[in-house]
Amino acid sequence: MNKNKITICTLFSCVFASGLYAQNSSPYSYFGIGGFNNVDDTRNISLGNTGIALEAPDYINSKNLASMTAITSRNVIFNVSGILKYNTISSNFGSDKRLNSNFTNFSAALRLSKKAFVGINIQPATSSDYKISSTIPIEGTALEYPVTYEGSGGLTNWGISLAYKLNDNWSFGGKVKNNFGTIVRKETISTTSEVEISRSVRYTGFSYNLGTQYKKNFTDNFQLTLGGIVNFGSKLVSKREVSYTENQDYTNTLTSKLSSKDSSLPLEMGAGLSILAKERYRMTFDFTQSNWDKVKNTETSEQYYRQNVYGLGFEMLPAKKSFESISEAFTYRLGLNYDTGYYKINNARIDKLEATIGLGVPLNKVNLNVGYGYGIHGLQKNVSIKEHYHMLTVSMNFLDTWFKKRYLD
């Protein structure tokens, strides 16, 4: 049976008519190029996924590349981040629980001079990881046969960033990155014989980001920072390989190159603000909008819509400049994030709400950030699938000093 003839509504209604099996991740990673991973530093995640207007003197803020200009005397930073996630996916017909973990970010930033900065990074941007068992009716009869849908793979990106400090208040940044990866979708049909249809699509393409930050001290106890970003949309060059296997004996493979119009990443624009009061209390707010309504993906048949994401964060910094115990140096964080989603199932948007808390711990030349979050994917009442998840995020930022001048007595 041709998979393109199966609508998204039919697929998801069939999923829970027979239950969930071996669900490794979110079933929503079925759509498009997979579910987007949260690859930011734990500090950003704990602050409601905000950071467009956050300075970054001691960590790498991937939300806005202009923030690299805050790197001071310790002029080299290395970042390693990871996540542990526990998912519960449920409906009226059943539920499934899964535990997953993965590294999310490897990056480095270097201060070249008082005004010039450079950074590199590699991140797993999206992932497709699901297994759905269902049944499909046989046309012209009242019979049904079992079918299994499986997905794996995702997109990774690596990039190079540059930032320039125009003056003490204003800075700019830019990034070029290469997106690449393979997504495999398998459909196994069991009738009198077993037929496996495997569609493997290899993606590659470059994208470009720009960011800016403006900081202003109004009094000794009040600082305002504004930020803006533009992530330009890009075309993904795609190559598809389709193979048909019957009873593991006969295999026929067809390879074709897809049009650049078939897959792409959307234009994204965002703005943020950060307010620091009394050098201790910080409030952050971000808003981003992604033009998914201009994007087409022919591998799955859903229609995309414009996506809005709102983030709010609060951070309490240490009260003292010098500490007698490590607990006096802790930074405490709270955050809330709402994502409208960019596609619909059964006429319902698949939105997401996430609440987070976090703790920052300075350890000599290492900044350790840990965070916990709880989220719900699919908030609306008429959504057939609801995903509840707990997540633990950890990031370590290693600070070092290079090109230090030597002084002789």
Side-chain angles (χ1 to χ4, degrees), residues 189-244:
I189 304 169
S190 300
T191 55
T192 54
S193 62
E194 185 173 272
V195 177
E196 180 183 280
I197 304 172
S198 177
R199 297 172 176 85
S200 175
V201 183
R202 171 74 179 178
Y203 297 95
T204 184
F206 284 90
S207 57
Y208 310 92
N209 306 346
L210 293 177
T212 184
Q213 283 187 345
Y214 179 80
K215 179 180 67 175
K216 178 69 174 178
N217 293 313
F218 290 93
T219 66
D220 292 338
N221 294 322
F222 186 83
Q223 181 188 91
L224 174 67
T225 304
L226 302 175
I229 59 167
V230 178
N231 300 328
F232 294 97
S234 64
K235 301 297 182 183
L236 296 175
V237 178
S238 309
K239 185 178 181 180
R240 177 170 56 192
E241 182 177 281
V242 182
S243 63
Y244 302 85

Side-chain angles (χ1 to χ4, degrees), residues 3 6-31 89 91 93 96 98 128-136 145-152 184-190 197 300 343 345 384-385 387:
K3 186 176 179 180
I6 304 174
T7 65
I8 297 303
C9 296
T10 302
L11 172 62
F12 273 76
S13 62
C14 290
V15 167
F16 288 102
S18 53
L20 280 171
Y21 298 92
Q23 182 66 56
N24 295 320
S25 186
S26 170
Y28 295 118
S29 66
Y30 165 85
F31 296 101
I89 302 103
S91 80
F93 298 96
D96 188 67
R98 284 288 162 175
S128 181
D129 193 0
Y130 59 88
K131 185 174 182 180
I132 300 170
S133 296
S134 185
T135 58
I136 295 295
Y145 57 79
V147 59
T148 301
Y149 304 96
E150 295 180 74
S152 61
V184 179
R185 305 179 189 276
K186 292 183 181 179
E187 179 181 337
T188 304
I189 304 169
S190 300
I197 304 172
T300 55
Y343 52 82
I345 300 175
S384 58
I385 303 172
E387 178 184 356

Side-chain angles (χ1 to χ4, degrees), residues 61 80 88 94 100 119 160 186 204 212 234 241 268 281 362 367 400:
N61 177 15
V80 179
T88 301
N100 305 286
I160 299 177
K186 292 183 181 179
T204 184
T212 184
S234 64
E241 182 177 281
E268 179 184 84
Y281 304 102
N367 280 340
D400 202 358

Side-chain angles (χ1 to χ4, degrees), residues 194-401:
E194 185 173 272
V195 177
E196 180 183 280
I197 304 172
S198 177
R199 297 172 176 85
S200 175
V201 183
R202 171 74 179 178
Y203 297 95
T204 184
F206 284 90
S207 57
Y208 310 92
N209 306 346
L210 293 177
T212 184
Q213 283 187 345
Y214 179 80
K215 179 180 67 175
K216 178 69 174 178
N217 293 313
F218 290 93
T219 66
D220 292 338
N221 294 322
F222 186 83
Q223 181 188 91
L224 174 67
T225 304
L226 302 175
I229 59 167
V230 178
N231 300 328
F232 294 97
S234 64
K235 301 297 182 183
L236 296 175
V237 178
S238 309
K239 185 178 181 180
R240 177 170 56 192
E241 182 177 281
V242 182
S243 63
Y244 302 85
T245 304
E246 186 173 354
N247 290 330
Q248 299 182 349
D249 295 327
Y250 170 75
T251 300
N252 183 31
T253 302
L254 175 66
T255 301
S256 60
K257 186 175 181 180
L258 303 180
S259 167
S260 61
K261 296 180 180 179
D262 290 337
S263 303
S264 58
L265 296 173
L267 170 69
E268 179 184 84
M269 295 180 290
L273 67 86
S274 171
I275 298 173
L276 178 63
K278 299 181 179 180
E279 297 186 344
R280 190 182 183 198
Y281 304 102
R282 177 180 281 114
M283 188 273 290
T284 60
F285 175 77
D286 280 10
F287 169 74
T288 58
Q289 184 175 89
S290 301
N291 293 344
W292 282 100
D293 53 324
K294 307 296 184 183
V295 170
K296 179 183 179 183
N297 187 299
T298 58
E299 291 304 305
T300 55
S301 57
E302 72 278 359
Q303 183 178 354
Y304 294 156
Y305 299 86
R306 188 163 296 186
Q307 178 187 32
N308 295 327
V309 181
Y310 308 85
L312 180 65
F314 176 78
E315 185 175 52
M316 187 170 69
L317 304 173
K320 302 177 181 179
K321 297 297 182 182
S322 59
F323 318 107
E324 297 180 359
S325 65
I326 191 172
S327 62
E328 293 179 346
F330 286 171
T331 299
Y332 302 92
R333 304 180 180 110
L334 295 170
L336 191 67
N337 183 274
Y338 176 69
D339 181 348
T340 64
Y342 60 93
Y343 52 82
K344 292 182 179 181
I345 300 175
N346 291 334
N347 232 9
R349 275 185 179 267
I350 309 302
D351 52 359
K352 181 173 69 173
L353 180 65
E354 184 178 278
T356 51
I357 58 174
L359 182 69
V361 184
L363 302 171
N364 194 9
K365 290 187 177 183
V366 177
N367 280 340
L368 172 66
N369 292 312
V370 294
Y372 165 79
Y374 174 75
I376 304 174
H377 204 173
L379 294 170
Q380 299 188 38
K381 292 182 179 180
N382 57 338
V383 172
S384 58
I385 303 172
K386 288 191 179 293
E387 178 184 356
H388 298 253
Y389 60 87
H390 302 266
M391 66 177 183
L392 178 66
T393 57
V394 179
S395 66
M396 299 184 68
N397 294 277
F398 302 88
L399 292 79
D400 202 358
T401 302

